[in-house]
Amino acid sequence: MHHAADILLTLFVIFVAAQIGAEIAQRIKLPGVVGEIAAGCVIGPSLLGWLSPEQILPGTPLDVLAEIGVVLLLFSVGLETRLDDLKKVGKSALLVGVLGVIIPFVAGALWAHGEGFEWIKSMFVAAAFVATSAGITARVLQQLGVLQRIESRVILGAAVIDDILAMLLLGVVSSLQGGGSLDLQSLLLTLAGAIGFVAIIGWGGSQVMRRRSGWLEAPISPHSALSVVLAICLGLAWLSTRFGLAAIIGAFLAGMIASETRQRKELEHQTLPLLSFLTPFFFVVTGAKVNLAELASVDALLMLLVATAIAIVSKLLGGFLGSLSLGRRSATIIGFGMVPRGEVGVVIASLGLAAGVFSDRIYAVVVAMSLLTAMVTPPVLAWLLRRGNPGEATG
Amino acid sequence: MHHAADILLTLFVIFVAAQIGAEIAQRIKLPGVVGEIAAGCVIGPSLLGWLSPEQILPGTPLDVLAEIGVVLLLFSVGLETRLDDLKKVGKSALLVGVLGVIIPFVAGALWAHGEGFEWIKSMFVAAAFVATSAGITARVLQQLGVLQRIESRVILGAAVIDDILAMLLLGVVSSLQGGGSLDLQSLLLTLAGAIGFVAIIGWGGSQVMRRRSGWLEAPISPHSALSVVLAICLGLAWLSTRFGLAAIIGAFLAGMIASETRQRKELEHQTLPLLSFLTPFFFVVTGAKVNLAELASVDALLMLLVATAIAIVSKLLGGFLGSLSLGRRSATIIGFGMVPRGEVGVVIASLGLAAGVFSDRIYAVVVAMSLLTAMVTPPVLAWLLRRGNPGEATG
């Protein structure tokens, strides 16, 4: 009867640490997620060691809970986003997505080459500079209640495009690194697959739901609409990984589809307790992945600062230039919204380490850079969004 | 970006299987849990093999999700149970708990001895006949909306007492098996610890919450009352394992404490989506643990049938005799409510296997018996509760 006792203690510690972190952050006027990520840093292997490195490896219960947490988070963000809203900002989102990939990639490659990496390896390192993690920005936007603003929509649309392009880029870089040549045909096929997936699910799914959400409450299904859409969420989260995309893209699409149903408001309401319970695991585990020990030298810290500055400025520039047509202030908000690399950068760095491209130090630097961008963004974003009333609030 | 893709597919399969199983069960007028457990049997290692035996071992992500699911389930049952309600049925619950431990233990030991085990090993086997798993009955009572009935309260109160006694019994049997002598003093200390834990948390916690639930909504805590009580739930679930009790006892107490707050109704409402999402993992994983292959002989099947019959009749008798003062019909309901052994029997069997007491066959038989009692109970209980209007519905 004692099974799983240890994990219960760990869950308790993580959950309480997240609440305390969020509470402290909010008292000093920072968004709650910053506190949750910082709490992860504190209780993680680098400081208190209440979480061991083994406990947060991929595939462990905590990692799975974290994954479920971010999947549900993006699902709930999708629930507050309708396809029509995204369509209106399509052109800006596309530009932000494309420039937000190209500029950080070039900047990252130049930096890595300057640090002594050969070009192909530099491109691998640069890939970690590219992919925006939508989770952190999405949480900030959601908690500030500004998901309906035009900037939020551009960010969410651009995050989908960003993920498609980053996925392609990582594919190209990995195959170059593996000594393969660039197979343009298979590359185009991958691109077509990813775009096709997003388009068919996003557009087709919305159509189906708009017309047929009656069946969600028909007597034929005594199960709640919630169970049905949660099943769709898990299914699409998995399916999107089959097309090379992040699970959260599928979850976001699932939420967007579900937002077309008549039960939308009820679903939004029912998703909140799921978020309260599960997203803290995502943010705390994310924070726990920083390895402060590897960064305990002036050299490494300097390297980290430069890398982080490049990561922030390049992404900010991409987002800013891509959405300049919306005005400078909105463009600044969008630029900052795209900055967090979060867990996606961590994953690419892990791939690089496994492929022998990354040294331990560059791994630690890239991971810390990814998480620093994630921690810096929320306060800036919150500050930008709170002052004045920029952007048209449509919808 | 492909990490955790496999687990997402598994989560999707489990979740959908649970929905389909529950749907089919309800169409043929069986409680949904039966369908969920059966779905686990079907997709588990014995039949389709979509879940491998390794995926459902203790400590795996699926096992942890299942544990969280049943912890939240008992928390929500606790939310619908007030200490005063339990106190009113204290004497019956105590009798049911005590007789419901003694009779199955004696019957199980006699059966195991008859099967050729020496006495001390027989007592170990008998321990698996003892502990009621409150999860399955609780879910049936909750879904039928009869948690306020007197029978439900007796069952829940007795389940707590049952767990304390079963824990002690397992401690005694394990130490005898390990060649140790019976240390009466340490036994009394353990008993005092468990009773003290339940009393202090249950009574003290209720007092505190009744008087001070204001702080849950005070401006000092911007976090929702839900997060606070979920933290208490995880904490008490862990703490109760430290006193040798099942995690679900602590979760139940946490719910009972929370039911004294002003936010009770809101909390009940917010817990429902958590149950929809997480309890299916518990029931499907429970079902997946049956190993049908070990039972594929006439001998083994016969042994299973006899063991299951003894397990059902002995527990039924204990519950019936213990609550006869409430009338025959109520006593029958209570007796059947105590029948499921579920995952607790599985855990004791695993301990026995690890200690070298159980053969592979007796292990398979005890596991299958535990799960059969869990599958037989819900339909009978639902049928008993639906006909006529027995029992006083207080509250």
Side-chain angles (χ1 to χ4, degrees):
Chain A
M1 278 175 283
H2 299 246
H3 73 301
D6 297 341
I7 189 80
L8 283 169
L9 177 59
T10 308
L11 297 179
F12 172 68
V13 167
I14 293 178
F15 194 77
V16 171
Q19 308 302 324
I20 294 174
E23 176 83 40
I24 292 174
Q26 282 166 358
R27 293 217 185 168
I28 56 178
K29 306 284 177 221
L30 289 176
V33 279
V34 177
E36 295 186 11
I37 297 174
C41 258
V42 172
I43 68 169
S46 299
L47 291 174
L48 294 178
W50 294 353
L51 294 179
S52 69
E54 293 72 36
Q55 282 182 299
I56 50 178
L57 289 178
T60 54
L62 292 182
D63 182 64
V64 170
L65 274 177
E67 177 81 9
I68 295 174
V70 73
V71 159
L72 289 173
L73 173 60
L74 269 285
F75 172 76
S76 86
V77 168
L79 261 182
E80 298 183 52
T81 314
R82 302 185 93 143
L83 182 62
D84 289 344
D85 302 337
L86 283 191
K87 272 199 216 148
K88 282 181 207 145
V89 299
K91 212 183 279 177
S92 301
L94 186 65
L95 258 178
V96 169
V98 172
L99 289 177
V101 165
I102 293 175
I103 300 178
F105 183 68
V106 172
L110 288 173
W111 171 76
H113 192 62
E115 291 284 334
F117 286 85
E118 47 181 282
W119 277 114
I120 291 186
K121 288 193 177 180
S122 298
M123 284 163 68
F124 205 130
V125 175
F129 280 67
V130 164
T132 290
S133 159
I136 288 139
T137 297
R139 186 67 172 166
V140 174
L141 298 175
Q142 192 182 45
Q143 290 192 325
L144 291 175
V146 295
L147 278 173
Q148 301 310 317
R149 276 172 63 150
I150 193 162
E151 296 93 341
S152 305
R153 289 170 188 169
V154 173
I155 292 170
L156 290 171
V160 175
I161 292 156
D162 179 289
D163 200 66
I164 294 176
L165 296 176
M167 180 266 299
L168 284 177
L169 198 63
L170 190 65
V172 172
V173 169
S174 301
S175 92
L176 285 177
Q177 166 62 24
S181 61
L182 238 163
D183 179 353
L184 200 68
Q185 199 177 352
S186 83
L187 205 66
L188 286 176
L189 267 178
T190 312
L191 179 65
I195 293 178
F197 169 74
V198 170
I200 289 174
I201 298 295
W203 185 82
S206 292
Q207 295 298 321
V208 170
M209 284 295 183
R210 207 173 292 167
R211 286 175 202 172
R212 313 209 175 259
S213 57
W215 62 268
L216 280 178
E217 57 196 13
I220 209 169
S221 167
H223 295 291
S224 66
L226 181 68
S227 295
V228 176
V229 297
L230 284 176
I232 294 175
C233 170
L234 289 172
L236 288 182
W238 165 72
L239 199 59
S240 77
T241 66
R242 300 290 301 169
F243 285 90
L245 300 172
I248 56 175
I249 299 292
F252 174 73
L253 292 176
M256 204 174 76
I257 292 173
S259 80
E260 300 289 346
T261 60
R262 275 187 262 149
Q263 294 85 353
R264 173 190 184 163
K265 279 290 156 207
E266 196 188 331
L267 290 172
E268 271 183 35
H269 204 245
Q270 289 171 327
T271 315
L272 293 180
L274 289 171
L275 296 188
S276 300
F277 185 58
L278 290 161
T279 56
F281 294 102
F282 170 67
F283 292 111
V284 171
V285 168
T286 299
K289 284 180 179 162
V290 202
N291 184 354
L292 295 176
E294 272 290 339
L295 302 168
S297 73
V298 178
D299 270 15
L301 271 181
L302 213 70
M303 196 170 164
L304 171 60
L305 281 181
V306 173
T308 306
I310 291 175
I312 292 176
V313 171
S314 62
K315 200 76 177 186
L316 177 57
L317 199 64
F320 183 81
L321 294 177
S323 58
L324 203 49
S325 64
L326 300 174
R328 275 161 182 255
R329 185 171 252 181
S330 292
T332 311
I333 292 173
I334 291 166
F336 268 106
M338 301 297 290
V339 162
R341 308 306 200 282
E343 83 290 359
V344 187
V346 176
V347 171
I348 295 179
S350 311
L351 292 176
L353 194 67
V357 179
F358 282 39
S359 61
D360 277 350
R361 175 184 284 187
I362 193 95
Y363 172 75
V365 166
V366 168
V367 168
M369 173 278 281
S370 299
L371 297 172
L372 266 181
T373 56
M375 298 192 68
V376 166
T377 306
V380 176
L381 206 55
W383 180 75
L384 285 171
L385 281 161
R386 275 189 189 127
R387 57 188 263 258
N389 62 335
E392 319 128 44
T394 44
Chain B
M1 281 176 284
H2 299 247
H3 72 302
D6 297 341
I7 189 81
L8 282 169
L9 177 59
T10 307
L11 297 179
F12 173 68
V13 167
I14 292 177
F15 195 77
V16 171
Q19 308 303 323
I20 294 173
E23 175 84 39
I24 293 173
Q26 282 166 356
R27 292 217 187 169
I28 54 177
K29 307 283 177 223
L30 290 176
V33 279
V34 177
E36 295 186 14
I37 298 174
C41 258
V42 172
I43 68 169
S46 298
L47 291 173
L48 294 177
W50 293 353
L51 294 179
S52 69
E54 292 73 35
Q55 282 182 297
I56 49 178
L57 288 178
T60 54
L62 292 182
D63 182 64
V64 170
L65 274 177
E67 178 82 8
I68 295 174
V70 72
V71 159
L72 289 173
L73 173 59
L74 269 285
F75 171 75
S76 85
V77 168
L79 261 181
E80 297 183 54
T81 314
R82 302 186 95 144
L83 182 62
D84 290 344
D85 303 337
L86 282 192
K87 272 198 218 148
K88 281 182 210 146
V89 298
K91 212 183 281 179
S92 302
L94 185 65
L95 258 177
V96 169
V98 172
L99 290 177
V101 164
I102 294 176
I103 299 178
F105 183 68
V106 172
L110 288 172
W111 171 77
H113 192 62
E115 290 285 333
F117 286 85
E118 48 181 283
W119 277 114
I120 291 185
K121 288 194 177 180
S122 297
M123 285 162 68
F124 206 129
V125 175
F129 279 68
V130 164
T132 290
S133 160
I136 288 139
T137 297
R139 185 68 172 166
V140 174
L141 298 176
Q142 191 181 47
Q143 290 192 325
L144 291 175
V146 295
L147 278 174
Q148 301 311 317
R149 277 173 62 151
I150 193 161
E151 295 94 343
S152 305
R153 290 173 189 166
V154 173
I155 291 171
L156 290 171
V160 174
I161 292 156
D162 180 290
D163 201 64
I164 294 176
L165 295 177
M167 178 268 298
L168 283 177
L169 199 63
L170 190 65
V172 173
V173 169
S174 301
S175 92
L176 285 178
Q177 165 63 24
S181 60
L182 240 163
D183 179 353
L184 200 68
Q185 199 178 352
S186 83
L187 204 67
L188 285 176
L189 268 177
T190 313
L191 177 66
I195 293 177
F197 169 75
V198 170
I200 290 174
I201 298 294
W203 184 81
S206 292
Q207 295 298 321
V208 170
M209 284 296 184
R210 207 173 292 167
R211 285 173 201 172
R212 315 211 171 257
S213 57
W215 62 269
L216 280 178
E217 59 197 13
I220 210 170
S221 167
H223 295 293
S224 65
L226 181 68
S227 295
V228 177
V229 297
L230 284 176
I232 295 174
C233 169
L234 289 173
L236 288 183
W238 166 71
L239 200 59
S240 78
T241 66
R242 299 291 299 169
F243 285 90
L245 300 172
I248 56 175
I249 298 292
F252 174 73
L253 292 176
M256 204 174 76
I257 292 173
S259 80
E260 301 288 345
T261 62
R262 275 187 263 150
Q263 295 86 351
R264 173 190 182 161
K265 278 289 156 209
E266 197 188 331
L267 290 172
E268 271 183 35
H269 204 244
Q270 289 171 326
T271 315
L272 292 179
L274 289 172
L275 296 188
S276 301
F277 186 57
L278 290 161
T279 56
F281 295 102
F282 170 67
F283 291 111
V284 171
V285 167
T286 299
K289 283 180 178 162
V290 201
N291 185 354
L292 295 175
E294 272 290 339
L295 302 168
S297 73
V298 178
D299 270 14
L301 272 181
L302 212 69
M303 196 170 164
L304 171 61
L305 282 182
V306 174
T308 307
I310 291 175
I312 292 176
V313 171
S314 62
K315 201 75 175 185
L316 177 57
L317 199 64
F320 183 82
L321 294 178
S323 58
L324 203 49
S325 63
L326 300 173
R328 275 162 181 255
R329 186 172 251 182
S330 292
T332 311
I333 292 173
I334 291 167
F336 267 107
M338 300 298 290
V339 162
R341 307 307 199 282
E343 84 289 359
V344 187
V346 176
V347 171
I348 295 179
S350 311
L351 291 176
L353 193 67
V357 180
F358 283 39
S359 61
D360 278 350
R361 175 185 281 187
I362 193 95
Y363 172 75
V365 166
V366 168
V367 168
M369 173 276 281
S370 299
L371 297 173
L372 265 181
T373 56
M375 298 192 68
V376 166
T377 306
V380 176
L381 205 55
W383 180 76
L384 285 172
L385 281 161
R386 277 190 189 127
R387 58 188 261 258
N389 62 334
E392 320 129 42
T394 45

